[in-house]
Every structure is written in structure tokens, then in C-alpha cells.
Amino acid sequence: MMVSTLPILFVVQIAFGLLLGFRASPAGLRAVAGIAAALSVWAGVSAWLALSGTYNSGLVLSLMPGLWLPAVPFVLVGFILLSRSLRQTLSEIAGNAPAHWLVAIQTLRILAIGTLIKTAQGTFPLEVLLSIGLTDLAFGFSALPVFVLARKGRIHKDALVLWHLVGIALILVPGMLALQTGLPGPMQMFDRFPTSAVMLDWPMVLGPTLVVPIFLLLNLLGALAARRAAPRHKGIAS
């Protein structure tokens, strides 16, 4: 079993979300708790599917899971937000979330340096590193100066929205393609070990099915919060 920080990252992400909900209101805390419960159930299901070998079964592989597994957390959250009251609560959470907090959580993406180390050790697919691992790492490092600017209120809110959206675009499409092109099936382009099939094993499976999508969901929340924010200093126009 590969040593991984992914389970710890998931716990930190959930704790961060609960903190944002608590800061907003009792309703905000309840809303985030509901989302956290749904994601935790999915975490358990995904872990079982990996440990039981179900992800590597012919049936699952024939469904081209690389193209939809990372979208599961988005679907879960989207289903929850079909409720108008919960959408209003989410808007309240975004309005109360400090912009620099939502930047700070993205610095944890620096831990993607682990993929570089694992690739050097021959346990992580090179094509996945090149397609998303390095860009994820670079985005994590970019969060450091952006955090300073956001903390001081010296970044235009539109620039902050764009930065969060870039954080999503860098990963979402290339990530799913990189995952699927290393799995058996009609789209397979890489078959030299290690392929992206290792990312369907425990604990690596938590990356594409949970932790990475949650970072992107937090990017969406950050973009919403930035868009709603008023300028803090003269000269930073809205």
C-alpha cells in the first residue's frame, strides 16, 4: 500500500468547509455538514470499490470511468443544491468567506510534489504527472503570492475570479483525459507500467474521485466569493 497524504487532505478539506459554514451562520454549518456527510459516504464507497478491486473489473473499465469518476463529487453537491434554500445558504457562506482563506486552502495543492517523487520512484504514471501533476503543483505555488495580495486587499476581484477559474481549467479536462487514456479501453494510449490504473487503487483513488474535485469545488466557491466581494481599498475597482 502506497503512503499518501490524500486521506489527511480530505479531512482538512472537510474541516475547512465546516469552518466556513460555522463562520457564516447556523444554517451555513448545517448545509456544509450535509455536503460533508454526502462526500464522506462517497469516500467510503470509493475506498471499498478500490480495496475490493471493483474499479479494476472489466465491467467498470468498460464504462470508461476516467471520464466521469472525477465528476461524482460535483454531481453530489449539485444534487444537494437543487434546494433553493441551500443555494441561498451557499451564497451566504460565499459572502462571509474571507477571500484570502479561499486562496490559502489552495496552497495545499503544493503537496502534488508527491506525484513528482512517486514518478521518480517509478510508482506514478509519467503522463499524468506531465498533464496535471506539474500544473497542479504550479497552481499551489501561485497561491502563495495571491494569498498575500488577497490578504492585503490588493488584488482586483475579477483577477481573483480568473485565478480560481484557471485552477479549475488546469485540472478538469486534462485530468479526466489523462486518467482514461491510461486505462484499458478504446481510448488507451499509455500501457507502460505504471499507467493511470494505479490511480484506481487505494489510497491513490482518493485523488481523482474526491480530493482533487473538492479543491475544484473550493475554487468555484472562491470565484463566487470574489465576485460578490466589494473592493477593500481605493484604487481597486469593482
Coordinates of all heavy atoms in Angstrom, one line a residue, residues 150-221:
A150 N -4.4 39.0 -1.7 CA -5.8 38.9 -1.2 C -5.9 39.4 0.3 O -6.9 40.0 0.6 CB -6.4 37.5 -1.4
R151 N -5.0 39.0 1.1 CA -5.0 39.3 2.5 C -4.9 40.8 2.7 O -5.5 41.4 3.6 CB -3.8 38.7 3.2 CG -3.7 39.0 4.7 CD -4.8 38.3 5.4 NE -4.8 38.6 6.9 CZ -5.2 39.7 7.5 NH1 -5.8 40.6 6.7 NH2 -5.1 39.8 8.8
K152 N -4.1 41.5 1.8 CA -4.0 43.0 1.9 C -5.1 43.7 1.1 O -5.1 44.9 1.1 CB -2.6 43.4 1.3 CG -1.5 42.8 2.2 CD -0.1 43.3 1.7 CE 1.0 42.8 2.5 NZ 2.4 43.2 2.0
G153 N -5.9 43.0 0.4 CA -6.9 43.6 -0.5 C -6.4 44.3 -1.7 O -7.0 45.3 -2.2
R154 N -5.3 43.8 -2.2 CA -4.6 44.5 -3.3 C -4.7 43.7 -4.6 O -3.8 43.8 -5.5 CB -3.1 44.7 -3.0 CG -2.8 45.5 -1.7 CD -3.5 46.8 -1.7 NE -3.1 47.6 -2.9 CZ -3.7 48.8 -3.2 NH1 -4.7 49.3 -2.5 NH2 -3.3 49.5 -4.3
I155 N -5.7 42.9 -4.7 CA -6.0 42.2 -6.0 C -7.4 42.5 -6.5 O -8.3 42.4 -5.7 CB -5.7 40.7 -5.9 CG1 -5.9 40.0 -7.2 CG2 -6.6 40.0 -4.8 CD1 -5.4 38.5 -7.2
H156 N -7.5 42.8 -7.7 CA -8.8 43.1 -8.3 C -9.7 41.8 -8.2 O -9.2 40.7 -8.5 CB -8.7 43.5 -9.7 CG -9.9 44.2 -10.3 ND1 -11.1 43.4 -10.6 CD2 -10.2 45.4 -10.7 CE1 -12.0 44.2 -11.1 NE2 -11.4 45.5 -11.2
K157 N -11.0 42.0 -7.8 CA -11.8 40.8 -7.6 C -12.0 40.0 -8.9 O -12.1 38.8 -8.9 CB -13.1 41.2 -7.1 CG -14.1 42.1 -7.9 CD -15.4 42.3 -7.2 CE -16.4 43.1 -8.1 NZ -17.6 43.4 -7.3
D158 N -12.0 40.7 -10.1 CA -12.1 40.0 -11.3 C -10.8 39.1 -11.6 O -10.9 38.0 -12.1 CB -12.3 40.9 -12.5 CG -13.7 41.6 -12.5 OD1 -14.5 41.0 -11.8 OD2 -13.9 42.6 -13.2
A159 N -9.7 39.6 -11.2 CA -8.4 38.8 -11.3 C -8.5 37.6 -10.4 O -8.0 36.5 -10.8 CB -7.2 39.7 -11.0
L160 N -9.1 37.8 -9.2 CA -9.2 36.7 -8.3 C -10.2 35.6 -8.8 O -9.9 34.4 -8.7 CB -9.6 37.2 -6.9 CG -9.5 36.2 -5.7 CD1 -8.0 35.7 -5.6 CD2 -9.9 36.9 -4.4
V161 N -11.3 36.1 -9.4 CA -12.2 35.1 -10.1 C -11.5 34.3 -11.2 O -11.6 33.1 -11.2 CB -13.4 35.9 -10.7 CG1 -14.2 35.0 -11.6 CG2 -14.3 36.5 -9.6
L162 N -10.7 35.1 -12.0 CA -10.0 34.4 -13.1 C -9.0 33.4 -12.5 O -8.9 32.3 -13.1 CB -9.3 35.5 -13.9 CG -8.5 34.9 -15.1 CD1 -9.4 34.1 -16.1 CD2 -7.8 36.1 -15.8
W163 N -8.3 33.8 -11.5 CA -7.3 32.8 -10.9 C -8.0 31.6 -10.4 O -7.5 30.5 -10.7 CB -6.6 33.5 -9.7 CG -5.6 32.7 -9.0 CD1 -4.3 32.4 -9.5 CD2 -5.7 31.9 -7.8 NE1 -3.7 31.6 -8.6 CE2 -4.5 31.3 -7.6 CE3 -6.8 31.8 -6.9 CZ2 -4.3 30.5 -6.4 CZ3 -6.6 31.0 -5.8 CH2 -5.4 30.4 -5.6
H164 N -9.1 31.7 -9.8 CA -9.8 30.5 -9.3 C -10.3 29.6 -10.5 O -10.2 28.4 -10.5 CB -11.0 30.9 -8.4 CG -10.7 31.1 -7.0 ND1 -10.2 30.2 -6.2 CD2 -10.7 32.3 -6.3 CE1 -10.0 30.7 -5.0 NE2 -10.3 32.0 -5.0
L165 N -10.8 30.3 -11.5 CA -11.3 29.5 -12.7 C -10.1 28.8 -13.4 O -10.3 27.7 -14.0 CB -12.0 30.5 -13.7 CG -13.3 31.1 -13.1 CD1 -13.9 32.0 -14.2 CD2 -14.3 30.0 -12.7
V166 N -8.9 29.5 -13.4 CA -7.8 28.8 -14.0 C -7.4 27.6 -13.2 O -7.0 26.5 -13.8 CB -6.6 29.8 -14.0 CG1 -5.3 29.1 -14.3 CG2 -6.8 30.9 -15.1
G167 N -7.6 27.7 -11.9 CA -7.3 26.5 -11.1 C -8.2 25.3 -11.4 O -7.8 24.2 -11.2
I168 N -9.4 25.6 -11.9 CA -10.3 24.5 -12.3 C -9.9 24.0 -13.7 O -9.7 22.8 -13.9 CB -11.7 25.0 -12.4 CG1 -12.2 25.4 -10.9 CG2 -12.7 23.9 -12.9 CD1 -13.5 26.1 -10.9
A169 N -9.7 24.9 -14.6 CA -9.4 24.6 -16.0 C -8.1 23.8 -16.2 O -8.0 22.9 -17.0 CB -9.3 25.8 -16.9
L170 N -7.1 24.1 -15.3 CA -5.8 23.3 -15.4 C -6.0 21.9 -15.1 O -5.1 21.1 -15.6 CB -4.8 23.9 -14.4 CG -4.2 25.3 -14.7 CD1 -3.4 25.8 -13.5 CD2 -3.3 25.2 -15.9
I171 N -7.0 21.5 -14.4 CA -7.1 20.1 -14.0 C -8.3 19.3 -14.6 O -8.1 18.2 -15.0 CB -7.3 20.1 -12.4 CG1 -6.1 20.8 -11.7 CG2 -7.5 18.6 -11.9 CD1 -4.8 20.1 -12.0
L172 N -9.4 20.0 -14.7 CA -10.7 19.3 -15.0 C -10.6 18.4 -16.3 O -10.7 17.2 -16.3 CB -11.9 20.2 -15.1 CG -13.2 19.6 -15.0 CD1 -13.4 18.8 -13.8 CD2 -14.3 20.7 -15.1
V173 N -10.4 19.1 -17.4 CA -10.4 18.4 -18.7 C -9.2 17.5 -18.9 O -9.3 16.3 -19.2 CB -10.6 19.4 -19.9 CG1 -10.5 18.6 -21.2 CG2 -12.0 20.0 -19.8
P174 N -8.0 18.1 -18.8 CA -6.8 17.2 -18.9 C -6.7 16.1 -17.9 O -6.2 15.0 -18.2 CB -5.6 18.2 -18.8 CG -6.1 19.4 -18.0 CD -7.6 19.5 -18.5
G175 N -7.2 16.3 -16.7 CA -7.2 15.3 -15.7 C -8.0 14.1 -16.1 O -7.5 12.9 -16.0
M176 N -9.2 14.3 -16.6 CA -10.1 13.2 -17.0 C -9.5 12.4 -18.2 O -9.5 11.2 -18.2 CB -11.5 13.6 -17.2 CG -12.2 14.1 -16.0 SD -14.0 14.4 -16.2 CE -14.0 15.8 -17.2
L177 N -9.0 13.2 -19.1 CA -8.4 12.6 -20.3 C -7.1 11.8 -19.9 O -6.9 10.7 -20.4 CB -8.0 13.6 -21.3 CG -9.2 14.3 -22.1 CD1 -8.8 15.4 -23.0 CD2 -10.0 13.2 -22.8
A178 N -6.3 12.3 -19.1 CA -5.1 11.6 -18.6 C -5.4 10.3 -17.9 O -4.7 9.3 -18.1 CB -4.2 12.5 -17.7
L179 N -6.4 10.4 -17.1 CA -6.9 9.2 -16.4 C -7.4 8.1 -17.4 O -6.9 6.9 -17.3 CB -7.9 9.5 -15.4 CG -8.5 8.4 -14.5 CD1 -7.4 7.7 -13.7 CD2 -9.5 8.9 -13.5
Q180 N -8.2 8.5 -18.3 CA -8.8 7.5 -19.2 C -7.9 6.9 -20.2 O -7.9 5.8 -20.5 CB -10.0 8.1 -19.9 CG -10.8 7.1 -20.7 CD -11.3 5.9 -19.9 OE1 -11.9 6.1 -18.8 NE2 -11.1 4.7 -20.4
T181 N -6.9 7.7 -20.7 CA -6.0 7.3 -21.7 C -5.0 6.3 -21.2 O -4.2 5.7 -22.0 CB -5.3 8.4 -22.4 OG1 -4.7 9.3 -21.4 CG2 -6.3 9.3 -23.2
G182 N -4.9 6.1 -19.9 CA -4.1 5.1 -19.3 C -4.8 3.9 -18.8 O -4.2 2.9 -18.3
L183 N -6.1 3.8 -19.0 CA -6.9 2.7 -18.6 C -7.3 1.8 -19.8 O -7.4 2.3 -21.0 CB -8.2 3.2 -18.0 CG -8.1 3.9 -16.7 CD1 -9.4 4.4 -16.2 CD2 -7.4 3.1 -15.6
P184 N -7.4 0.5 -19.6 CA -7.8 -0.4 -20.7 C -9.1 0.1 -21.4 O -10.1 0.5 -20.7 CB -8.0 -1.7 -20.1 CG -7.1 -1.7 -18.9 CD -7.2 -0.3 -18.4
G185 N -9.2 0.1 -22.7 CA -10.4 0.5 -23.4 C -10.0 1.2 -24.7 O -8.9 1.3 -25.1
P186 N -11.0 1.7 -25.4 CA -10.8 2.3 -26.7 C -10.0 3.5 -26.7 O -9.4 3.9 -27.8 CB -12.2 2.5 -27.2 CG -13.1 2.6 -26.0 CD -12.5 1.6 -25.0
M187 N -9.9 4.2 -25.6 CA -9.1 5.5 -25.5 C -7.7 5.3 -25.0 O -6.9 6.2 -24.9 CB -9.8 6.5 -24.7 CG -11.1 7.0 -25.3 SD -11.9 8.3 -24.2 CE -10.6 9.6 -24.3
Q188 N -7.3 4.0 -24.7 CA -6.0 3.8 -24.1 C -4.9 4.2 -25.0 O -4.8 3.7 -26.2 CB -5.8 2.4 -23.6 CG -4.5 2.1 -22.8 CD -4.4 0.8 -22.2 OE1 -5.0 -0.2 -22.7 NE2 -3.7 0.7 -21.1
M189 N -4.0 5.0 -24.6 CA -2.8 5.4 -25.3 C -1.5 5.1 -24.6 O -0.4 5.0 -25.2 CB -2.8 7.0 -25.6 CG -4.0 7.4 -26.4 SD -4.1 9.2 -26.5 CE -2.5 9.6 -27.3
F190 N -1.6 4.8 -23.3 CA -0.4 4.5 -22.5 C -0.6 3.2 -21.8 O -1.6 3.0 -21.0 CB -0.2 5.7 -21.5 CG -0.1 7.0 -22.1 CD1 -1.2 7.9 -22.0 CD2 1.1 7.5 -22.7 CE1 -1.2 9.1 -22.6 CE2 1.1 8.7 -23.2 CZ 0.0 9.6 -23.2
D191 N 0.3 2.3 -22.1 CA 0.1 0.9 -21.4 C 1.4 0.5 -20.8 O 1.5 -0.7 -20.3 CB -0.3 -0.1 -22.5 CG 0.6 -0.2 -23.7 OD1 1.7 0.5 -23.6 OD2 0.3 -0.9 -24.6
R192 N 2.4 1.4 -20.6 CA 3.6 1.0 -20.0 C 3.5 1.3 -18.5 O 3.1 2.4 -18.1 CB 4.8 1.8 -20.5 CG 6.1 1.4 -19.9 CD 7.3 2.2 -20.6 NE 8.5 1.9 -20.0 CZ 9.7 2.4 -20.4 NH1 9.7 3.3 -21.4 NH2 10.8 2.1 -19.7
F193 N 3.8 0.3 -17.6 CA 3.6 0.4 -16.2 C 4.6 1.5 -15.7 O 5.7 1.5 -16.1 CB 3.9 -0.9 -15.5 CG 3.6 -0.9 -14.0 CD1 2.4 -1.0 -13.5 CD2 4.7 -0.6 -13.1 CE1 2.2 -0.9 -12.1 CE2 4.5 -0.5 -11.8 CZ 3.3 -0.7 -11.3
P194 N 4.1 2.3 -14.7 CA 2.8 2.4 -14.2 C 1.9 3.2 -15.0 O 2.2 4.3 -15.5 CB 3.0 3.0 -12.8 CG 4.2 3.9 -13.0 CD 5.1 3.2 -14.0
T195 N 0.7 2.7 -15.3 CA -0.3 3.5 -16.0 C -1.3 4.2 -15.0 O -1.1 4.0 -13.8 CB -1.2 2.6 -16.9 OG1 -2.0 1.7 -16.1 CG2 -0.3 1.8 -17.9
S196 N -2.2 4.9 -15.5 CA -3.2 5.6 -14.6 C -4.1 4.6 -13.9 O -4.8 5.0 -13.0 CB -4.0 6.6 -15.4 OG -4.8 6.0 -16.4
A197 N -4.0 3.3 -14.2 CA -4.7 2.3 -13.4 C -4.3 2.3 -12.0 O -5.2 2.0 -11.1 CB -4.5 0.9 -14.1
V198 N -3.1 2.7 -11.6 CA -2.7 2.8 -10.2 C -3.5 3.8 -9.5 O -3.6 3.7 -8.2 CB -1.2 3.1 -10.1 CG1 -0.4 2.0 -10.8 CG2 -0.9 4.5 -10.6
M199 N -4.1 4.8 -10.2 CA -4.9 5.8 -9.5 C -6.3 5.3 -9.1 O -7.1 6.0 -8.5 CB -5.0 7.0 -10.4 CG -3.6 7.6 -10.7 SD -3.7 9.1 -11.7 CE -4.5 10.3 -10.6
L200 N -6.6 4.0 -9.5 CA -7.9 3.4 -9.1 C -7.6 2.5 -7.9 O -8.5 1.7 -7.5 CB -8.5 2.7 -10.2 CG -9.0 3.6 -11.4 CD1 -9.6 2.7 -12.5 CD2 -9.9 4.7 -10.9
D201 N -6.4 2.5 -7.4 CA -6.0 1.6 -6.2 C -6.1 2.5 -5.0 O -5.9 3.7 -5.0 CB -4.6 1.0 -6.4 CG -4.6 0.1 -7.6 OD1 -5.6 -0.5 -7.9 OD2 -3.5 -0.1 -8.2
W202 N -6.3 1.9 -3.8 CA -6.2 2.6 -2.5 C -4.8 2.8 -2.1 O -3.9 2.0 -2.3 CB -6.9 1.8 -1.5 CG -6.8 2.4 -0.1 CD1 -5.9 2.1 0.9 CD2 -7.6 3.4 0.4 NE1 -6.1 2.8 2.0 CE2 -7.1 3.7 1.7 CE3 -8.7 4.2 -0.1 CZ2 -7.7 4.7 2.5 CZ3 -9.2 5.2 0.7 CH2 -8.7 5.4 2.0
P203 N -4.4 4.0 -1.6 CA -5.3 5.2 -1.4 C -5.3 6.2 -2.5 O -5.9 7.3 -2.4 CB -4.6 5.8 -0.1 CG -3.1 5.5 -0.4 CD -3.1 4.2 -1.1
M204 N -4.5 6.0 -3.6 CA -4.4 6.9 -4.7 C -5.8 7.3 -5.2 O -6.0 8.4 -5.8 CB -3.5 6.4 -5.8 CG -2.1 6.4 -5.4 SD -1.4 8.0 -5.1 CE -1.6 8.8 -6.7
V205 N -6.8 6.4 -5.1 CA -8.1 6.6 -5.7 C -8.8 7.8 -5.1 O -9.6 8.5 -5.8 CB -9.0 5.4 -5.6 CG1 -9.4 5.2 -4.1 CG2 -10.2 5.4 -6.5
L206 N -8.4 8.2 -3.9 CA -9.0 9.4 -3.3 C -8.6 10.7 -4.0 O -9.3 11.7 -3.9 CB -8.5 9.5 -1.8 CG -9.1 8.4 -0.9 CD1 -8.6 8.7 0.6 CD2 -10.6 8.4 -0.9
G207 N -7.6 10.6 -4.8 CA -7.2 11.8 -5.6 C -8.2 12.2 -6.6 O -8.9 13.2 -6.5
P208 N -8.4 11.3 -7.7 CA -9.3 11.7 -8.7 C -10.8 11.6 -8.3 O -11.6 12.3 -9.0 CB -9.0 10.7 -9.8 CG -8.4 9.5 -9.1 CD -7.6 10.1 -8.0
T209 N -11.1 10.8 -7.3 CA -12.5 10.7 -7.0 C -13.0 11.6 -5.9 O -14.2 11.7 -5.7 CB -12.9 9.2 -6.6 OG1 -12.2 8.9 -5.4 CG2 -12.4 8.2 -7.7
L210 N -12.1 12.3 -5.2 CA -12.6 13.0 -4.1 C -11.7 14.3 -3.8 O -12.3 15.4 -4.0 CB -12.5 12.2 -2.8 CG -13.3 12.6 -1.6 CD1 -14.8 12.5 -1.9 CD2 -13.0 11.9 -0.4
V211 N -10.5 14.2 -3.5 CA -9.7 15.3 -3.0 C -9.5 16.4 -4.1 O -9.7 17.6 -3.9 CB -8.3 14.8 -2.5 CG1 -7.4 16.0 -2.2 CG2 -8.5 14.0 -1.2
V212 N -9.1 15.9 -5.3 CA -8.9 16.9 -6.4 C -10.2 17.6 -6.8 O -10.3 18.8 -6.9 CB -8.3 16.2 -7.6 CG1 -8.3 17.2 -8.8 CG2 -6.9 15.8 -7.3
P213 N -11.4 16.9 -6.9 CA -12.6 17.5 -7.2 C -13.0 18.5 -6.1 O -13.6 19.6 -6.4 CB -13.6 16.4 -7.3 CG -12.8 15.2 -7.8 CD -11.5 15.4 -7.1
I214 N -12.7 18.2 -4.9 CA -13.1 19.1 -3.8 C -12.3 20.4 -3.9 O -12.8 21.5 -3.7 CB -12.9 18.5 -2.4 CG1 -14.0 17.4 -2.2 CG2 -13.1 19.5 -1.3 CD1 -13.8 16.6 -0.9
F215 N -11.0 20.3 -4.2 CA -10.2 21.5 -4.5 C -10.9 22.4 -5.5 O -10.9 23.6 -5.4 CB -8.8 21.2 -4.9 CG -7.9 21.0 -3.7 CD1 -7.1 19.8 -3.6 CD2 -7.7 21.9 -2.7 CE1 -6.2 19.6 -2.6 CE2 -6.9 21.7 -1.6 CZ -6.1 20.6 -1.6
L216 N -11.4 21.7 -6.6 CA -12.0 22.5 -7.7 C -13.4 23.1 -7.2 O -13.7 24.2 -7.6 CB -12.2 21.6 -8.9 CG -11.0 20.9 -9.5 CD1 -11.3 20.2 -10.8 CD2 -9.8 21.9 -9.6
L217 N -14.1 22.4 -6.4 CA -15.3 22.9 -5.8 C -15.0 24.1 -5.0 O -15.7 25.1 -5.0 CB -16.0 21.9 -5.0 CG -16.8 20.8 -5.8 CD1 -17.2 19.6 -4.9 CD2 -18.0 21.3 -6.5
L218 N -13.9 24.1 -4.2 CA -13.5 25.2 -3.4 C -13.0 26.4 -4.3 O -13.2 27.6 -4.0 CB -12.4 24.8 -2.5 CG -12.8 23.9 -1.3 CD1 -11.6 23.4 -0.6 CD2 -13.7 24.7 -0.3
N219 N -12.5 26.1 -5.5 CA -12.2 27.1 -6.5 C -13.5 27.8 -6.9 O -13.5 29.0 -7.0 CB -11.5 26.5 -7.7 CG -10.0 26.4 -7.6 OD1 -9.4 25.4 -7.9 ND2 -9.4 27.5 -7.0
L220 N -14.5 27.0 -7.2 CA -15.8 27.6 -7.6 C -16.4 28.5 -6.5 O -16.9 29.6 -6.7 CB -16.8 26.5 -7.9 CG -16.7 25.8 -9.2 CD1 -17.7 24.6 -9.3 CD2 -16.9 26.7 -10.4
L221 N -16.3 28.0 -5.2 CA -16.7 28.9 -4.1 C -15.9 30.1 -4.0 O -16.4 31.2 -3.7 CB -16.6 28.1 -2.8 CG -17.1 28.8 -1.5 CD1 -18.6 29.1 -1.7 CD2 -16.9 27.9 -0.3

